[in-house]
């Protein structure tokens, strides 16, 4: 986004609303994750695999953001959990106000997990706190191992890197160790999980990470910076 | 980007500078192309293949935009043509002022071709005219065939779609006909070239397109909308 004088005000207002959301999530023990990536890195496929792993009746819901179309909500609603599309109509990121509005007619306090799929954009969503417990950045191996250096903000701000589409590794010039090194140059100690939504590789590890992360919700050491 | 009241003013100022650049390019018969895509769709690889195709001494130059790093300029400078990196330091797109400033110490009037590689972002760069003759959108087949519907603005505004990484088609769930149909739903009649920068497939067709497009520079029917 542009460095406009107005930007500070917009972000301050966003942070105020996000803080309210975070308080709500924490007080009810809800793990809210904000998934961010380029277009086509596989956020929706990852969420499909994620929802498959939950048992019917588990208290999980998804908000999915796009500039246009309700395609992702259609894909994700097949798993029997509440899913709502947020269509931004041109805006390149989700903001806290959109999340608040989308949650208005849900009984949020009854949830255990809330997944937010951001608009496909590796830049702007990094600036907008949505009240999440953690940001998760998804990077497809088709995108190249230099991305953490080129888009450092989102890699710095995300707790976890999901390295997706690893089934493509034999066919693309992508060096996993270099990618991991680049991610950890920007974000020392960053956790990385390798996933293929096609083969299912790593999906269990991702599910375990989610479980572990939920136990930290509200714990003092997990407070957002 | 946010729909802020200030946005109109910023875009108006951008359009003024872009119009000046366009006049300069047209009056000297320079073809300026603005390449836009998601991060990791292969803009830089496409430009490498493009520069390989020019003979030494041809009057071609590249401006390449990134949030951080000079990696792309390093990669592209190996071909012996002038290349300059524009590091935006957080801004999610190139704007006309950045282009104007980058060109200040070049003898622009001596160029025949100027390629601009925008910041990897399928949303925000669509709003910023850089004075180019045409926008070209690059989409990798690893990203999914739904992208034209989800990010309609850039597909509508681009003259050409370069469908890149087609060497991956056997390994990804991507339907080329559906992607083409989606692109043409947003932009009827849109030209599409299938390319693999790994195998070289389609690179010749892309080079021919560039040649043809240059002959239209300054022609009344090629005037920007």
């Amino acid at each position: 986004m542009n460095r406009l004088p107005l930007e500070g005000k917009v972000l301050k207002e966003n942070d105020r609303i996000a803080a309210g959301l975070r308080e709500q999530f924490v007080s009810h023990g809800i793990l809210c994750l904000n998934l961010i990536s380029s277009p086509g890195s596989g956020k929706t496929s990852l969420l499909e695999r994620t929802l498959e792993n939950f048992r019917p009746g588990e208290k999980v819901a998804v908000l999915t953001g796009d500039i246009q179309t309700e395609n992702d909500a259609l894909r994700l609603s097949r798993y029997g959990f509440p899913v709502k599309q947020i269509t931004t109509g041109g805006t390149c990121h989700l903001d806290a106000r959109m999340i608040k509005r989308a949650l208005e007619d849900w009984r949020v306090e009854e949830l255990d997990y809330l997944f937010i799929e951001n608009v496909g954009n590796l830049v702007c969503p990094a600036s907008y706190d949505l009240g999440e417990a953690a940001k998760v950045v998804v990077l497809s191996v088709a995108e190249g191992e230099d991305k953490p250096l080129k888009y450092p903000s989102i890699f710095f701000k995300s707790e976890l890197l999901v390295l997706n589409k690893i089934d493509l590794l034999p066919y693309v010039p992508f060096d996993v160790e270099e990618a991991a090194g680049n991610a950890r140059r920007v974000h020392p100690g960053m956790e990385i999980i390798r996933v293929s939504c096609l083969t299912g590789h790593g999906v269990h590890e991702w599910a375990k990470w989610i479980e572990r992360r939920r136990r930290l919700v509200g714990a003092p050491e997990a407070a957002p910076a």
Side-chain angles (χ1 to χ4, degrees), chain A:
Chain A
M1 104 212 54
N2 239 339
R3 298 295 167 203
L4 305 175
L6 202 53
E7 188 196 347
K9 275 191 202 166
V10 172
L11 286 178
K12 214 166 159 182
E13 171 69 359
N14 185 78
D15 283 352
R16 200 186 52 75
I17 302 170
L21 288 168
R22 178 168 291 112
E23 200 183 312
Q24 187 183 12
F25 299 150
V26 168
S27 67
H28 296 291
I30 302 163
L31 174 67
C32 174
L33 296 177
N34 178 2
L35 272 67
I36 299 177
S37 82
S38 305
S41 302
K43 292 183 295 306
T44 314
S45 299
L46 182 65
L47 282 173
E48 289 184 304
R49 287 291 192 166
T50 310
L51 294 180
E52 267 177 17
N53 258 307
F54 282 99
R55 287 180 303 277
E58 283 200 84
K59 297 163 179 171
V60 51
V62 180
L63 298 177
T64 178
D66 266 306
I67 307 270
Q68 290 293 348
T69 83
E70 306 249 327
N71 295 356
D72 288 354
L74 286 172
R75 280 173 63 185
L76 292 169
S77 60
R78 294 180 296 135
Y79 298 87
F81 301 104
V83 174
K84 195 180 281 189
Q85 181 83 43
I86 302 176
T87 308
T88 67
T91 300
C92 54
H93 58 270
L94 295 178
D95 65 32
R97 189 185 297 275
M98 299 176 194
I99 303 301
K100 192 178 173 193
R101 198 178 304 135
L103 293 177
E104 265 166 10
D105 56 354
W106 277 358
R107 299 177 69 160
V108 177
E109 65 280 7
E110 296 185 357
L111 289 177
D112 289 332
Y113 301 89
L114 176 65
F115 294 97
I116 302 175
E117 178 181 357
N118 220 307
V119 174
N121 184 331
L122 214 47
V123 190
C124 315
S127 301
Y128 289 82
D129 185 3
L130 305 181
E132 71 275 345
K135 292 181 173 66
V136 174
V137 60
V138 181
L139 177 69
S140 139
V141 301
E143 292 174 57
E145 61 279 286
D146 55 343
K147 295 304 166 287
L149 303 180
K150 286 185 167 184
Y151 304 87
S153 177
I154 187 54
F155 287 86
F156 176 70
K157 290 182 179 176
S158 295
E159 264 188 45
L160 176 70
L161 163 58
V162 173
L163 201 56
N164 199 14
K165 306 195 188 184
I166 60 158
D167 53 282
L168 290 178
L169 280 175
Y171 316 114
V172 293
F174 185 93
D175 184 325
V176 172
E177 290 313 312
E178 198 182 326
N182 287 341
R184 290 180 177 137
R185 227 167 104 186
V186 172
H187 181 157
M190 187 175 207
E191 281 190 86
I192 302 173
I193 300 178
R194 304 174 190 198
V195 169
S196 164
C197 294
L198 228 55
T199 68
H201 180 105
V203 172
H204 182 73
E205 198 184 340
W206 158 241
K208 287 281 166 209
W209 185 90
I210 294 170
E211 246 186 81
R212 264 199 327 273
R213 190 60 188 78
R214 180 157 179 259
R215 289 197 291 271
L216 296 177
V217 171
E221 68 272 32

